[in-house]
Amino acid sequence: MLNVVIFGPPGSGKGTQSEKIIEKYGLEHISTGDLLRYEISHHTHLGALAKSYIDKGNLVPDDLIIDMIDSKIDKLHNIPGIIFDGFPRTVEQAEALKELLNSHGEEVSVMVNLNVDRQELIDRLLKRGETSGRTDDNLETIEKRLSVYESQTTPVIDYYKKEKKLVEIKGIGNIDDIFGRIANALDKIK
Ligand code: ADP
């Protein structure tokens, strides 16, 4: 299987590039942000809990996220691979993912790290906020999310670097050009 972790700060284009990767490689999409927003819109207990973290720009606790991923992976059968979008966001989540995939005889094939500078991220997220209806796309929460990313999520890059799974991709410019860079990298490891 081709198991891809699409990685980068909020606003780096993980969702946009995931769609294109899925179209080309037929992967299953697991986006923790989408899963959490689904729970919120369906007024579940998990949704209510998650919302209290998300609206402040904080991470949802690891155990909740890992349980959610675990049950999602269990439901997938006979697929060419999975793209993980917005997960793992902590080293603990990365370690849990390794165990989960190992228990299915699988592993992460590659981590694609989208590089975008801070001002571009803020501009993109504010623009998205005009139409997304997302309560976390406002300047105060965006700045908090970026600082949480720096402190809690960037160590995940080193984790995959040590595992020799890291591929760096320039995430600025035309969407199709960025996808071209990603596809080049994926075709090499397939
Ligand atoms: P973005 O990458 O633009 O911040 P996401 O949709 O991936 O957007 O995530 C939105 C919010 O959901 C995050 O700020 C965080 O509160 C929560 N979240 C999503 N994925 C995770 C995760 N793997 N671990 C903890 N919290 C998460």
Side-chain angles (χ1 to χ4, degrees), residues 32-40 46-61 65 68 89 134-138 141-142 144-145:
T32 42
D34 287 351
L35 291 172
L36 293 169
R37 281 185 289 276
Y38 178 90
E39 296 291 329
I40 293 170
L46 171 59
L49 203 54
K51 187 170 165 51
S52 65
Y53 294 94
I54 292 173
D55 284 353
K56 292 196 194 85
N58 286 317
L59 294 183
V60 174
I65 298 288
M68 201 171 73
R89 251 178 162 94
R134 276 179 56 165
T135 49
D136 58 348
D137 281 344
N138 61 76
T141 313
I142 289 167
K144 173 72 180 174
R145 281 154 64 204

Side-chain angles (χ1 to χ4, degrees), residues 138-155:
N138 61 76
L139 187 57
E140 194 188 343
T141 313
I142 289 167
E143 285 183 334
K144 173 72 180 174
R145 281 154 64 204
L146 291 174
S147 84
V148 166
Y149 172 81
E150 283 302 326
S151 59
Q152 298 184 50
T153 304
T154 52

Side-chain angles (χ1 to χ4, degrees), residues 15-54:
T16 306
Q17 294 300 331
S18 290
E19 280 177 29
K20 300 183 87 63
I21 294 168
I22 290 160
E23 200 183 319
K24 174 154 187 193
Y25 299 93
L27 306 182
E28 284 289 328
H29 191 201
I30 299 187
S31 156
T32 42
D34 287 351
L35 291 172
L36 293 169
R37 281 185 289 276
Y38 178 90
E39 296 291 329
I40 293 170
S41 67
H42 287 76
H43 304 285
T44 65
H45 176 67
L46 171 59
L49 203 54
K51 187 170 165 51
S52 65
Y53 294 94
I54 292 173

Side-chain angles (χ1 to χ4, degrees), residues 49-87:
L49 203 54
K51 187 170 165 51
S52 65
Y53 294 94
I54 292 173
D55 284 353
K56 292 196 194 85
N58 286 317
L59 294 183
V60 174
D62 286 335
D63 53 341
L64 298 179
I65 298 288
I66 291 163
D67 283 352
M68 201 171 73
I69 293 278
D70 190 11
S71 62
K72 186 81 190 173
I73 291 179
D74 268 346
K75 291 190 190 110
L76 301 174
H77 303 284
N78 296 322
I79 52 162
I82 305 175
I83 181 158
F84 296 94
D85 167 3
F87 173 89

